[in-house]
Amino acid sequence: MKKIVIALFLISISLLQAQDVLISKTSKVHFFSSTPLENIEASSTQSVSAINKKTGEVTISIPIRSFKFEKALMQEHFNENYMESEKYPNASFKGKITNISAVDFSKDGTYKVSVMGDLNIHGVAKTRTIEAIITITNGEVTATSKFKVPLEDHKITKPQIVFTNIADIIDVDVTFGYSVYVKK
Amino acid sequence: MLRSSFLGFVFSFFGAFSQVDSSSTLIISDTASQVVESQPDLDAIIESERIKSVDHSYTYATFKGTKIINGHSIESPAAGVLQFIIYHRFSDATQGLYDIFGLDGARVRMGFDYGISRRLSVGYGRTSDQKTFDGYVKYKILMQTDDDAMPVSLVGVLGTAIRTDRALSAYNIDFAHRMSYLYQAMIARKFSSSFSVQLTPTVVYTNLVNTPDDKNLLPALGMGGRLKISKRTAINVEYFAKMPKSTHASVKNVVAVGVDIETGGHVFQLHLTNTQSMIEELFLPFNTNDFLKGQVNLGFNISRVFTVNKKAVNKYN
């Protein structure tokens, strides 16, 4: 009898663990480079993100090939010459929401959070602390953030000839819509 | 005492579910460690939820230009994109400084290509060689994908050329005699970001040929390759081998070797080739320059792309 109770106890612990994880159902990652000569922007809706509600752990994976540009040649150059997406197919972020205890996932509301972790773009990781906003509406969790990425941080080089067409610091904004992770 | 009985219960719990044999110890220790760690692996979850369709993207930039050098490549402008092209071939250097090593005797082709959809594109051009107007339709039958679900690209070209040279009027001919037709089925593969190869089975049908030894129907096999040597430069090589005995002995196979330089919206191709004509309908039946005899011309291709139809770009992206 005792064994069965403990067995059930152990099983229920592992079930609780899975419910702590939120997985993204919708995503939008958008970046914008503005210079007097040219504006460059693209969006991707094929990123995936997971949050551990209890520990505040955050993981995001962004496939570089999924960024859509208005100019086909720009998309080709972005992948082939700047991001080298054949070598580095994904940009990623792995970190932690430092003030996760301030977020009450059971109550609707808007929470300002600070996320600290490694942002890896073009194969180069940089430790960043990024501000984000977690919004809970009718139990649905959405996270948004706006931050800047200096090209230099991730060894993304631009050739002399288009030096003035591309900004040194890129504006990035992300939006993720989450739901509870259910293991298939 | 409490800890050992706890562990005892852990092992007995899993023991109830696993077979009592040599492998059971592995199962027990593995699941025991899972119980002890009990942290969901976000990386593994992300990996399993990854949207797989990105891997299935169509391969881009097998070649950088819509022509490898003289002949068509499998590439075409993207949907909604207009490409202007200027192709130049100088004369050979045999007259030395007199004609600045052939710079005086330039032949030009100016034209444009337009992408209608992801697979369909059209092109038009005029070559100063025999005052030839040409048009073509290019269709991507198969497109290589990044995950090799489709390992090659297969692209067909149907072209027409009209030689409006007044010199042809000396022969009592109909207008239809000035026409030539091009049929190509190109197979190419991008092996890596720095290496691509293409095979181009070609048929040119020329209504009016020069001598009885020249056949109207001229099959040929083109082959070309691209080797990237830096982020924005590559070496291209191209060779067209005509079916033996389809032309007069003076007509030679076409060889070309060159360099691609890509900047912003332009592609510059600089090359050495034996033919002065820039379309298959001209260089396959009429080229008499012999590459091996040094009858080689310097040439360049320049292309510039403009996005003219944003709706088409977004539709096919």
Side-chain angles (χ1 to χ4, degrees):
Chain A
M1 181 57 202
K2 218 173 175 182
K3 290 183 194 179
I4 294 169
V5 170
I6 287 174
L8 285 169
F9 179 61
L10 290 168
I11 293 169
S12 58
I13 285 178
S14 59
L15 279 175
L16 273 174
Q17 236 80 60
Q19 281 195 336
D20 284 339
V21 177
L22 294 171
I23 191 85
S24 60
K25 284 298 155 211
T26 60
S27 73
K28 181 160 183 236
V29 177
H30 169 258
F31 69 80
F32 186 69
S33 147
S34 178
T35 65
L37 255 82
E38 195 171 16
N39 286 341
I40 298 169
E41 67 179 304
S43 289
S44 159
T45 53
Q46 301 194 303
S47 307
V48 186
S49 167
I51 298 179
N52 184 325
K53 283 195 287 190
K54 228 172 93 186
T55 62
E57 218 185 314
V58 180
T59 304
I60 305 173
S61 178
I62 305 165
I64 302 300
R65 283 290 248 125
S66 64
F67 279 101
K68 304 271 180 240
F69 289 73
E70 266 190 354
K71 289 190 190 161
L73 194 61
M74 208 183 258
Q75 192 165 320
E76 188 181 301
H77 289 162
F78 173 76
N79 280 287
E80 190 172 353
N81 302 332
Y82 295 94
M83 298 298 278
E84 297 184 277
S85 54
E86 280 187 41
K87 279 197 226 154
Y88 315 109
N90 299 300
S92 66
F93 180 84
K94 283 202 227 300
K96 236 183 179 146
I97 301 170
T98 50
N99 55 339
I100 188 71
S101 45
V103 183
D104 185 350
F105 285 95
S106 58
K107 255 189 10 204
D108 279 5
T110 308
Y111 305 90
K112 278 208 187 118
V113 294
S114 183
V115 193
M116 189 178 92
D118 283 337
L119 177 62
N120 190 320
I121 303 177
H122 189 232
V124 179
K126 188 103 168 88
T127 308
R128 299 283 302 263
T129 304
I130 296 172
E131 305 299 311
I133 298 171
I134 293 183
T135 312
I136 302 170
T137 323
N138 298 330
E140 297 284 306
V141 181
T142 312
T144 59
S145 178
K146 281 192 177 47
F147 54 94
K148 296 188 190 289
V149 178
L151 292 179
E152 206 182 27
D153 275 6
H154 302 280
K155 299 218 176 78
I156 299 167
T157 54
K158 34 181 195 167
Q160 205 56 40
I161 201 158
V162 288
F163 216 69
T164 44
N165 290 48
I166 305 168
D168 288 321
I169 300 178
I170 312 294
D171 296 311
V172 182
D173 57 278
V174 304
T175 306
F176 287 94
Y178 295 92
S179 60
V180 175
Y181 175 66
V182 175
K183 204 169 183 179
K184 289 194 233 1
Chain B
M1 165 102 200
L2 204 64
R3 191 171 58 170
S4 61
S5 60
F6 171 74
L7 282 170
F9 285 121
V10 168
F11 289 139
S12 59
F13 165 64
F14 289 104
F17 290 97
S18 57
Q19 292 291 336
V20 182
D21 55 38
S22 54
S23 63
S24 64
T25 46
L26 271 156
I27 297 165
I28 288 170
S29 57
D30 181 52
T31 45
S33 65
Q34 279 183 336
V35 171
V36 167
E37 274 183 41
S38 67
Q39 278 299 336
D41 183 355
L42 289 192
D43 285 340
I45 292 170
I46 292 262
E47 185 52 40
S48 65
E49 292 288 312
R50 210 161 59 83
I51 297 167
K52 304 275 192 296
S53 62
V54 183
D55 297 331
H56 206 59
S57 320
Y58 292 120
T59 303
Y60 57 77
T62 307
F63 293 94
K64 276 294 164 182
T66 54
K67 292 234 171 199
I68 300 181
I69 296 173
N70 289 317
H72 282 285
S73 76
I74 54 131
E75 299 291 349
S76 65
V81 172
L82 183 67
Q83 176 182 254
F84 279 103
I85 57 97
I86 296 179
Y87 303 150
H88 242 89
R89 302 283 184 274
F90 298 109
S91 303
D92 59 62
T94 49
Q95 292 196 71
L97 210 54
Y98 178 68
D99 69 349
I100 319 286
F101 298 100
L103 253 63
D104 281 351
R107 297 276 168 86
V108 184
R109 177 175 183 270
M110 293 196 284
F112 61 82
D113 308 301
Y114 180 69
I116 294 170
S117 73
R118 198 201 308 279
R119 293 179 187 264
L120 183 66
S121 63
V122 292
Y124 156 80
R126 184 195 170 280
T127 312
S128 59
D129 185 18
Q130 300 195 56
K131 313 278 185 266
T132 310
F133 290 84
D134 70 272
Y136 69 84
V137 176
K138 199 184 252 191
Y139 189 76
K140 297 188 187 186
I141 301 163
L142 298 173
M143 291 171 70
Q144 187 181 345
T145 58
D146 281 343
D147 58 3
D148 273 355
M150 176 51 65
V152 292
S153 296
L154 175 64
V155 177
V157 169
L158 290 175
T160 308
I162 306 167
R163 296 181 282 150
T164 66
D165 195 344
R166 286 186 189 144
L168 287 176
S169 315
Y171 313 100
N172 200 7
I173 57 166
D174 297 335
F175 180 78
H177 287 120
R178 295 174 178 275
M179 296 188 69
S180 309
Y181 304 96
L182 171 66
Y183 309 90
Q184 283 183 314
M186 303 173 273
I187 305 165
R189 178 172 164 78
K190 187 178 188 184
F191 286 93
S192 76
S193 63
S194 40
F195 183 57
S196 306
V197 168
Q198 178 177 309
L199 273 179
T200 316
T202 304
V203 171
V204 170
Y205 191 90
T206 314
N207 279 352
L208 178 72
V209 290
N210 288 345
T211 74
D213 287 341
D214 294 297
K215 310 254 186 303
N216 302 81
L217 185 75
L218 172 53
L221 181 65
M223 42 202 108
R226 172 177 194 253
L227 186 68
K228 203 164 147 183
I229 51 177
S230 83
K231 244 188 185 177
R232 290 176 176 82
T233 59
I235 296 177
N236 295 321
V237 177
E238 196 183 39
Y239 180 63
F240 272 90
K242 294 178 285 89
M243 175 87 91
K245 303 231 173 65
S246 1
T247 56
H248 188 262
S250 62
V251 179
K252 303 291 177 202
N253 287 335
V254 171
V255 185
V257 57
V259 172
D260 263 353
I261 302 162
E262 198 192 2
T263 77
H266 297 88
V267 178
F268 295 96
Q269 295 180 290
L270 288 152
H271 39 258
L272 290 169
T273 178
N274 54 337
T275 177
Q276 273 200 301
S277 313
M278 293 151 271
I279 56 172
E280 285 85 335
E281 294 97 317
L282 292 177
F283 68 68
L284 283 174
F286 302 121
N287 172 59
T288 52
N289 289 334
D290 193 341
F291 197 86
L292 294 172
K293 288 214 179 95
Q295 291 164 343
V296 167
N297 312 304
L298 181 68
F300 63 84
N301 295 347
I302 297 178
S303 70
R304 213 318 179 174
V305 288
F306 299 93
T307 305
V308 295
N309 187 349
K310 285 212 171 100
K311 256 172 64 182
V313 174
N314 292 328
K315 184 176 173 194
Y316 294 103
N317 200 349

